[in-house]
Amino acid sequence: MNSVSMFKAILSFTFISVISLKPVVSIARHRQLVGEKRLTSFANDHLVTNLPGQSQVDFRHYSGYVTVNEKNGRALFYWFYEATTHPEAKPLVLWLNGGPGCSSVGYGATQEIGPFIVDTEGHGIKYNPYSWNREANMLFLESPVGVGFSYSNTTSDYDILGDDFTANDAYAFLHSWYLMFPSYRSRTFYIAGESYAGKYVPELAELIYDNNRDPSLRIDLKGILLGNPETSDAEDWSGLVDYAWSHAIISDETHKIIRESCNFESNNTWENKDCSESVDELMRQYHEIDIYSLYTSVCMGDSASSYNKSTRVMFKRSSSMMPRIMGGYDPCLDEYAKAFYNRPDVQKALHVSDGHRLRNWSICNSAIFSNWTQSKFSVLPIYKKLIAGGLRIWVYSGDTDGRVPVLATRYSISMLGLPITKRWSPWYHQKQVSGWFQEYEGLTFATFRGAGHAVPVFKPSESLALFSAFLLGEPLGHSRTYPMRMTC
């Protein structure tokens, strides 16, 4: 079965669950009973009307489950915010966080770029004046199953999670979601994300690009936007090591041993004892600080034990996958998000539960990371395919992130061998240098000065300006008098 036929089969068995407590209705059967024009009634049931702590806003937002595999009972949770103004004229952007195993709702939606940011101690939310839904309709997806509220009724699904599995489910989700929100099917579409979504995003984009050969499956994908993205394992590891050395995290001796003994292009990297022990030493040093933001404080919580937990290193010796260290800036926000999403009134408002039979929500699922079965060594070949297909690719990097540092991204981009069309230059926002950028044929790379792994947390106004420029296909601010371009 070719890929197009496979997805037609998937979509013919795709079901949408209105909320977790209502019966699941077959799209095919529903079309027969009530007709296509009434499919949007599902969306009305997902309208969020009483989110605790929400201020008065002039846009609608929706959340709930979309079942991507009816046989296994796999359902993905989403939260969708219409644009603050003229949503009918603005593009749709899907945002993904990585891990793998971390929540796009917990990070992207309520710590970074959504309109509601979780407040201190998880008691409520506050309005984010720099939300990206000022510029686009924003769709946040908890993916794959096992992340956040997303789940499967078939336990064996959790044993086969990997890059391809995640891309296939996200693709099935999009087509089912469009049935609920049909006005967006022909809308200009972009995919954005950060960290391990540096693999999710290109992989999903490639799936869309390949299947767009069938007009019935067409999604109007125009480009991808990636923040501090994992891209190519060998270059990411080299960048992590060199960045740690250049920022005085490790000694000259440790750096020298790693450089001489570690072959990050090999499948047997960790069999070399000198390499393995030296990388362990690097991880021990990062255990003392926040790898995601070198110059900010770690979250101490109520005791030293909470600090130890928040900085726990997750590192797989069985693969070349990059390590993950629990935490990030503000690492305390992770705990605030957990408190907020486990509130009965919040789960009821988001159509997750009835407020009594609660779902246990966590911002990251460590078991997913530990049991990840398949990770592409590099997505650079996908970059080349998408560039050749005319898609827009922008990559940005906070320059105080040690986890997927700016050096790693520069090393990866250099492997593409793209001709440079605009050489390294500063870019400005509100008359200040926000970072530096370079334009290539088919790709733009930008840095954010003084930002960690989750750039919008550190530079909300600047990141919104970059997002706006990306959507418009315009260059970043190139002079101190360049105004922020905002669409109405």
Side-chain angles (χ1 to χ4, degrees):
M1 181 181 292
N2 62 35
S3 60
V4 173
S5 298
M6 177 183 68
F7 279 105
K8 284 184 175 179
I10 289 174
L11 292 176
S12 69
F13 288 97
T14 297
F15 289 66
I16 292 180
S17 171
V18 176
I19 62 174
S20 59
L21 301 178
K22 291 188 178 181
V24 177
V25 181
S26 161
I27 287 298
R29 184 183 173 206
H30 190 69
R31 280 176 172 160
Q32 294 172 357
L33 293 176
V34 299
E36 179 109 21
K37 67 180 180 179
R38 292 187 57 190
L39 282 170
T40 53
S41 65
F42 284 108
N44 292 331
D45 287 319
H46 283 200
L47 182 66
V48 179
T49 57
N50 58 345
L51 183 66
Q54 178 190 315
S55 58
Q56 181 89 21
V57 294
D58 294 328
F59 59 88
R60 293 173 296 187
H61 56 114
Y62 303 79
S63 68
Y65 284 108
V66 170
T67 299
V68 295
N69 185 292
E70 183 265 342
K71 179 181 178 181
N72 288 9
R74 286 205 306 273
L76 299 182
F77 178 79
Y78 78 93
W79 198 345
F80 169 58
Y81 307 93
E82 290 185 345
T84 56
T85 58
H86 303 296
E88 72 285 349
K90 292 182 178 178
L92 173 67
V93 177
L94 172 67
W95 174 272
L96 301 172
N97 279 86
C102 293
S103 167
S104 301
V105 168
Y107 280 118
T110 46
Q111 289 193 33
E112 301 179 62
I113 61 172
F116 311 123
I117 302 297
V118 65
D119 209 347
T120 304
E121 304 300 337
H123 295 317
I125 52 176
K126 57 187 177 182
Y127 184 70
N128 176 17
Y130 304 105
S131 173
W132 286 14
N133 77 324
R134 290 178 60 177
E135 297 295 313
N137 300 282
M138 297 298 303
L139 177 59
F140 296 86
L141 179 65
E142 291 193 316
S143 175
V145 290
V147 173
F149 291 125
S150 296
Y151 68 90
S152 175
N153 291 329
T154 303
T155 56
S156 59
D157 281 348
Y158 298 108
D159 298 327
I160 56 174
L161 298 180
D163 285 11
D164 289 344
F165 184 102
T166 302
N168 289 338
D169 270 8
Y171 185 76
F173 164 85
L174 281 172
H175 280 284
S176 293
W177 188 88
Y178 281 131
L179 293 175
M180 295 174 63
F181 298 89
S183 66
Y184 287 91
R185 173 165 284 282
S186 59
R187 197 75 59 89
T188 298
F189 180 64
Y190 299 90
I191 315 173
E194 68 188 12
S195 195
Y196 195 81
K199 294 191 175 181
Y200 289 165
V201 171
E203 289 161 353
L204 176 57
E206 180 183 37
L207 199 54
I208 293 171
Y209 179 81
D210 289 346
N211 285 300
N212 274 351
R213 290 189 292 260
D214 183 338
S216 68
L217 297 176
R218 179 169 177 77
I219 295 173
D220 192 20
L221 177 66
K222 295 297 186 182
I224 59 175
L225 175 66
L226 303 159
N228 287 79
E230 290 192 34
T231 306
S232 175
D233 291 349
E235 281 65 45
D236 288 346
W237 269 112
S238 294
L240 185 150
V241 170
D242 290 350
Y243 185 89
W245 171 73
S246 67
H247 286 73
I249 306 301
I250 58 173
S251 67
D252 294 351
E253 292 75 20
T254 299
H255 181 250
K256 183 174 185 291
I257 293 171
I258 294 175
R259 272 306 189 183
E260 291 178 349
S261 63
C262 292
N263 179 5
F264 295 121
E265 295 182 356
S266 169
N267 292 327
N268 303 315
T269 303
W270 312 120
E271 292 182 6
N272 184 302
K273 183 178 179 182
D274 289 341
C275 171
S276 182
E277 290 180 350
S278 297
V279 170
D280 282 344
E281 170 61 20
L282 184 153
M283 291 298 129
R284 278 194 293 272
Q285 298 308 321
Y286 267 132
H287 183 84
E288 299 297 317
I289 60 173
D290 187 350
I291 191 173
Y292 297 98
S293 176
L294 266 60
Y295 306 117
T296 53
S297 300
V298 297
C299 182
M300 299 304 293
D302 296 327
S303 66
S305 62
S306 66
Y307 164 66
N308 291 334
K309 179 181 179 182
S310 70
T311 57
R312 179 164 54 93
V313 177
M314 300 192 66
F315 182 28
K316 295 180 66 172
R317 292 293 186 198
S318 59
S319 75
S320 60
M321 285 181 66
M322 300 290 289
R324 181 156 65 79
I325 298 181
M326 303 300 290
Y329 182 84
D330 173 355
C332 294
L333 282 177
D334 291 3
E335 293 302 313
Y336 303 159
K338 182 177 180 180
F340 182 74
Y341 286 113
N342 282 300
R343 286 174 48 170
D345 54 353
V346 171
Q347 291 197 8
K348 185 175 182 180
L350 295 178
H351 310 127
V352 171
S353 77
D354 60 0
H356 300 288
R357 291 167 290 175
L358 302 183
R359 291 191 176 274
N360 183 32
W361 185 93
S362 61
I363 198 161
C364 290
N365 184 337
S366 60
I368 291 178
F369 178 87
S370 300
N371 299 323
W372 201 248
T373 61
Q374 179 246 339
S375 176
K376 285 187 173 61
F377 182 77
S378 173
V379 292
L380 291 176
I382 300 178
Y383 275 46
K384 292 179 180 179
K385 177 192 284 191
L386 299 181
I387 290 171
L391 272 70
R392 185 181 310 156
I393 300 179
W394 280 32
V395 182
Y396 64 87
S397 184
D399 64 11
T400 66
D401 174 30
R403 170 58 177 75
V404 189
V406 63
L407 284 182
T409 304
R410 294 175 80 170
Y411 291 169
S412 292
I413 291 174
S414 70
M415 295 294 291
L416 292 169
L418 299 172
I420 297 170
T421 58
K422 183 174 179 57
R423 297 201 171 273
W424 196 257
S425 305
W427 70 279
Y428 301 87
H429 177 66
Q430 296 177 349
K431 302 184 179 180
Q432 297 296 319
V433 174
S434 292
W436 283 262
F437 77 107
Q438 186 155 286
E439 294 178 358
Y440 303 83
E441 285 188 8
L443 185 147
T444 294
F445 172 60
T447 72
F448 280 82
R449 186 165 64 100
H453 189 66
V455 168
V457 173
F458 299 86
K459 303 291 181 179
S461 180
E462 293 88 340
S463 67
L464 179 59
L466 178 135
F467 181 58
S468 176
F470 165 74
L471 295 177
L472 293 168
E474 294 185 349
L476 289 166
H478 57 275
S479 70
R480 291 192 183 273
T481 58
Y482 185 88
M484 179 179 178
R485 174 75 178 271
M486 302 292 292
T487 59
C488 297

